[in-house]
Amino acid sequence: MKKSLFLLIITGLSIKVSAQSTNGHDHAHDQKVYFPDVPGFYTLSCDFHMHTVFSDGSVWPNIRVQEANREGLDCISTTEHLEYQPHSKDIPHPDRNRSFELASHAARNSELIVVAGSEITRSMPPGHTNAIFIEDANPILQDNAMDAFREARKQNAFVFTNHPMWTAQRKDGIAKYEPMHLELIEKGMLHGIEVVNETTFSDEAIALALKYDLTFIGTSDIHGLTDWLYDIPHGGHRPVTLVFSAERTKEGMKAALFNKQTVVWYKDMFIGRKEWLDPLLHNSLEVSALGYDGDTSVLSVEINNPTHSHYIIQNKSDYTFHEDPSIMIIEPQSTKILSVKTLERFDSVILPFTFLNAMYAPDTYPTIFYELSTKNDPDTSN
Ligand SMILES: [Zn+2]
Ligand SMILES: [Zn+2]
């Protein structure tokens, strides 16, 4: 008895889900990584740090392209270690552009954009650094670290500090900059910093990004398979940098990175500057009033989440809810009805929510305002 009831519920559920996905929702919503665009800019999901057998990774570059396409990414860069080549006896390749060439070729029939990049792999300082949007990886391989940075600048590369919290180079896990980093920033040779790398996160790196006015970057630095490390088949996701680009092109993305137009998405947490984080969050949840229930002053509000992220939101309005406490979790790709006790019947209502899974800085959470018209009767609109 119980079993058949359970099956009935599951069947009903799957019908509802499939009806929703064919009903006005475009293909993008079926991707693993989907976020809406923000006014004037495309929201492009990018992973600018990963490895293949052309340095110390375990897969051929085409697998990186296939992973990215399965996960719905817009852009990747296979950033092999220039100086660290453990597979070079088995896979000799004097040309350090080879990984990029193979990945570009593998992506030729897909929407995926592949940008050229390398990891300048040094002891601390400066530690590891990625240079992306490079023209030629070979001359960036230099004996002297500063010469490598000079060459990257000559190629107009976008350069960012990798895993400044890595315990192999920082025993205490605390990200910090040394005089050499500050010199690089001063000379315009260092532009961003990973606040998230693989499965690590750093409050201190976020503080450094803000102090030195650097672009927030989050990457997978994947060496094995993303499915395994991030449990993607069960709803996990790799860290990505969401880039807000005026164009869906390499040039557009590069300009956006230099302008610090990014938000990092990691374990369903969003890290970014207010200017970009606010519109992203605002558009990620579609909040609308359905109307008042009968002759009551209880307003039905629909919260639709077309993205694949959870959101933890806290009510900051003066109203209380009829069915929910003030903090709630909005599930990925879900629709929730909220009953708001507005005490009077208003024509419009403003609902502010603090997003507890988003931050401008450590312990600094955004509050987003949704302005709702309660007059949603379609019969009166003509
Ligand atoms: Zn590294
Ligand atoms: Zn790496």
Side-chain angles (χ1 to χ4, degrees), residues 148-165:
F149 282 94
R150 277 186 207 101
E151 177 60 31
R153 182 175 61 182
K154 208 169 110 188
Q155 297 185 21
N156 295 312
F158 178 81
V159 177
F160 60 91
T161 298
N162 295 345
H163 45 70
M165 67 297 257

Side-chain angles (χ1 to χ4, degrees), residues 20 303-307 330-336:
Q20 201 176 40
I303 302 178
N304 182 41
N305 175 13
T307 79
I330 307 297
E331 299 288 335
Q333 297 219 296
S334 72
T335 300
K336 177 181 179 58

Side-chain angles (χ1 to χ4, degrees), residues 169-329:
Q169 293 187 327
R170 295 289 187 212
K171 294 286 169 230
D172 54 8
I174 303 293
K176 67 168 189 255
Y177 272 154
E178 300 188 26
M180 187 177 181
H181 298 108
L182 303 187
E183 183 189 345
L184 288 168
I185 293 168
E186 181 77 17
K187 291 181 171 166
M189 295 196 279
L190 181 58
H191 317 105
I193 182 170
E194 285 182 348
V195 298
V196 162
N197 173 277
E198 195 197 55
T199 56
T200 60
F201 163 93
S202 172
D203 284 304
E204 293 81 11
I206 295 171
L208 287 174
L210 295 171
K211 182 172 182 185
Y212 295 107
D213 203 22
L214 303 171
T215 305
F216 287 111
I217 302 287
T219 70
S220 73
D221 199 358
I222 188 72
H223 289 68
L225 294 174
T226 55
D227 263 22
W228 292 355
L229 184 59
Y230 299 109
D231 204 18
I232 291 168
H234 298 103
H237 73 89
R238 78 166 88 187
V240 292
T241 305
L242 300 175
V243 178
F244 304 97
S245 176
E247 299 170 359
R248 219 195 131 80
T249 61
K250 287 186 191 183
E251 295 71 28
M253 269 188 289
K254 187 176 167 183
L257 284 170
F258 276 109
N259 281 329
K260 305 181 282 285
Q261 298 174 187
T262 65
V263 166
V264 172
W265 183 46
Y266 167 69
K267 293 183 181 175
D268 284 0
M269 166 69 82
F270 298 83
I271 306 147
R273 288 177 167 82
K274 182 178 176 61
E275 185 183 0
W276 302 103
L277 190 49
D278 280 10
L280 176 72
L281 295 174
H282 186 277
N283 288 6
S284 291
L285 294 184
E286 299 161 1
V287 183
S288 56
L290 300 178
Y292 281 98
D293 294 343
D295 61 354
T296 72
S297 57
V298 179
L299 180 68
S300 285
V301 171
E302 183 180 279
I303 302 178
N304 182 41
N305 175 13
T307 79
H308 286 80
S309 183
H310 290 83
Y311 296 86
I312 306 169
I313 58 174
Q314 182 175 24
N315 176 26
K316 290 287 167 168
S317 73
D318 293 334
Y319 314 128
T320 55
F321 303 146
H322 204 41
E323 297 168 16
D324 292 275
S326 66
I327 293 180
M328 65 195 85
I329 295 171

